[in-house]
Amino acid sequence: MNGSFSFTSYTFDEQNGLLSFRYTAYNDGESHVFEERYVFQRPFAPLSPEKRKVLDRVFFLFHIAAGISYYKAFLSDVVSVESGTLTKEESSFFTTFYFKGLGEFFCRNELPLKKVSFPFGEKTEPCLKENLKKRCLLPVGGGKDSSLSLELLKEAGFQGEEILPVSCGTARPIEETIKVSGLPASLLIRREISPELIALNKGGKVFNGHVPITGIFAFLLLACGILYDYAFVVMSCERSANAATRLYKGEEVNHQWSKSFEFESLFRSLTQKLVPGFSYFSLLRPLSELKIASLFAKYCQKYFPVFTSCNKAFKLDREKRLDRWCTDCDKCRFVFLSLAAFMDKEALVRAFGKDMLDDETQEEGFKELLGLSGFKPFECVGEVGESRLAFLIVADREEF
């Protein structure tokens, strides 16, 4: 852990919708230049001079957030920001974002916990006084949660262009979920990770691991709100995202920290002065995983043939993607177990391709979910108590 890391620059080509972030790391006498790109779907809503000024500030903050993927490669001791000036509040936010967002990364790599001190200065921030249209951007991941949010918004009276499904990248479950929703339009943002980072990761020469991707995308979604004129971003993060996964060196580590209410509150506080009319919140926040599973089983039958939560269906390398469920990972086990408490068994087995509770090779994995052995997995799964309750409900269901 030495060397330096610089947030070098960012540019936005409005004509082509191309946003580019550049970073530079110096380590052991070598220089590494990274460039991450995002391509926004055109056309945009009309952009006034005031909107452009605020959008530029949002892109700067997005530049700092996205840099976590590249900073973690070397965990440099010296950090500099050349692309702009952070305020004291912004500096404090990103110190927390990097520390808590990299908690799992530190734990899995057995590294000391490390805080990044971001330089700050005096800066007058712009403020968007124009009102954004009161309509919803809804990120779609292809799983049960975002499908439920889509249906709950429609049930509440939002229709047509008042709900815009949005995804960063695409995969079969995302495309089919949007199609099944029946909404007239959707928004696709394309992300290109720096080839330099991919090469370093494949070579095993750098630290690798989990980053708070939902937190990074929060800034992307704020930019989308301005570019496409949407006042609300409706997330689908549940109550259990607030729960720590385990303790590491005296600190709580939460795999889902950037899905937690803590992050959501910090993000809102950071961006409220910048875009007062914008709101980022989770529709499912008050609900347990089991409540979400019960509502999904009741209201979302049309999504049963297409939804998928298995991470292997969303691999960056398209050639390594699975079409549906792998039926042999923590996510598959938890989703199957929670839905088994409420869904018709035949429909559930048809969706997954097998009865996971009738597979003895899954026993150890289910024990971990139930807190009977090992640790709760570093994965987007519910709390141990929720898994236990689901198991007891399933045990009383005659068909299982």
Side-chain angles (χ1 to χ4, degrees), residues 286-326:
L287 306 182
S288 69
E289 283 277 13
L290 290 193
K291 184 62 178 177
I292 291 169
S294 70
L295 292 173
F296 178 80
K298 182 177 181 180
Y299 292 108
C300 300
Q301 289 94 337
K302 65 183 180 180
Y303 296 97
F304 289 175
V306 302
F307 89 106
T308 304
S309 299
C310 179
N311 292 330
K312 293 176 184 176
F314 304 94
K315 282 182 174 289
L316 290 175
D317 187 340
R318 288 179 172 271
E319 293 183 0
K320 294 182 179 179
R321 284 183 184 177
L322 293 183
D323 189 48
R324 298 301 305 276
W325 305 84
C326 77

Side-chain angles (χ1 to χ4, degrees), residues 55-122:
L55 183 62
D56 180 68
R57 187 65 185 177
V58 170
F59 284 153
F60 168 60
L61 298 177
F62 186 11
H63 179 222
I64 306 302
I68 197 169
S69 299
Y70 303 94
Y71 163 78
K72 72 171 173 50
F74 299 106
L75 296 176
S76 303
D77 292 324
V78 178
V79 171
S80 62
V81 179
E82 298 175 12
S83 56
T85 303
L86 292 167
T87 65
K88 186 176 182 180
E89 181 187 9
E90 290 164 349
S91 170
S92 176
F93 170 88
F94 283 113
T95 294
T96 300
F97 182 74
Y98 274 57
F99 183 69
K100 295 199 172 186
L102 289 177
E104 178 181 336
F105 166 84
F106 292 131
C107 180
R108 282 181 175 267
N109 285 285
E110 299 182 339
L111 295 166
L113 298 171
K114 184 176 182 179
K115 285 191 175 182
V116 182
S117 295
F118 287 88
F120 60 88
E122 296 298 325

Side-chain angles (χ1 to χ4, degrees), residues 1-263:
M1 287 183 269
N2 51 32
S4 64
F5 183 83
S6 171
F7 297 82
T8 314
S9 64
Y10 66 94
T11 55
F12 180 55
D13 180 348
E14 188 177 323
Q15 185 174 352
N16 296 309
L18 175 62
L19 177 65
S20 299
F21 295 147
R22 285 167 286 277
Y23 310 93
T24 306
Y26 294 95
N27 188 73
D28 291 336
E30 293 184 351
S31 173
H32 302 273
V33 177
F34 306 105
E35 182 172 4
E36 179 160 308
R37 296 181 175 185
Y38 293 82
V39 181
F40 292 86
Q41 189 176 307
R42 290 187 55 83
F44 305 136
L47 295 175
S48 64
E50 182 185 82
K51 272 190 175 181
R52 284 191 172 89
K53 192 173 183 181
V54 172
L55 183 62
D56 180 68
R57 187 65 185 177
V58 170
F59 284 153
F60 168 60
L61 298 177
F62 186 11
H63 179 222
I64 306 302
I68 197 169
S69 299
Y70 303 94
Y71 163 78
K72 72 171 173 50
F74 299 106
L75 296 176
S76 303
D77 292 324
V78 178
V79 171
S80 62
V81 179
E82 298 175 12
S83 56
T85 303
L86 292 167
T87 65
K88 186 176 182 180
E89 181 187 9
E90 290 164 349
S91 170
S92 176
F93 170 88
F94 283 113
T95 294
T96 300
F97 182 74
Y98 274 57
F99 183 69
K100 295 199 172 186
L102 289 177
E104 178 181 336
F105 166 84
F106 292 131
C107 180
R108 282 181 175 267
N109 285 285
E110 299 182 339
L111 295 166
L113 298 171
K114 184 176 182 179
K115 285 191 175 182
V116 182
S117 295
F118 287 88
F120 60 88
E122 296 298 325
K123 176 75 176 178
T124 301
E125 291 188 271
C127 174
L128 183 61
K129 296 176 183 177
E130 298 177 37
N131 291 323
L132 297 170
K133 289 185 179 178
K134 296 186 182 301
R135 48 189 187 173
C136 307
L137 288 171
L138 197 154
V140 172
K144 68 182 188 330
D145 298 349
S146 55
S147 299
L148 177 60
S149 289
L150 284 170
E151 292 306 305
L152 290 178
L153 281 182
K154 286 157 64 175
E155 183 104 346
F158 288 87
Q159 296 295 331
E161 293 183 357
E162 292 179 314
I163 311 172
L164 185 64
V166 56
S167 64
C168 184
T170 189
R172 183 201 59 78
I174 294 172
E175 294 167 356
E176 293 188 358
T177 294
I178 292 171
K179 184 177 180 180
V180 168
S181 75
L183 292 167
S186 62
L187 175 63
L188 171 63
I189 312 299
R190 299 195 181 277
R191 178 193 184 207
E192 299 174 12
I193 298 172
S194 173
E196 173 78 359
L197 181 65
I198 294 172
L200 287 170
N201 286 337
K202 285 183 177 178
K205 298 179 180 180
V206 296
F207 297 115
N208 194 11
H210 177 78
V211 296
I213 192 64
T214 303
I216 296 171
F217 287 168
F219 289 92
L220 169 65
L221 292 163
L222 174 56
C224 288
I226 298 171
L227 283 169
Y228 303 103
D229 203 5
Y230 281 77
F232 309 126
V233 167
V234 182
M235 301 297 290
S236 304
C237 306
E238 68 290 330
R239 189 186 70 196
S240 64
N242 299 326
T245 308
R246 67 184 68 168
L247 281 175
Y248 178 66
K249 297 187 181 295
E251 293 283 344
E252 288 188 345
V253 173
N254 182 0
H255 171 79
Q256 301 189 83
W257 180 76
S258 66
K259 291 183 177 180
S260 70
F261 185 66
E262 180 184 8
F263 168 79

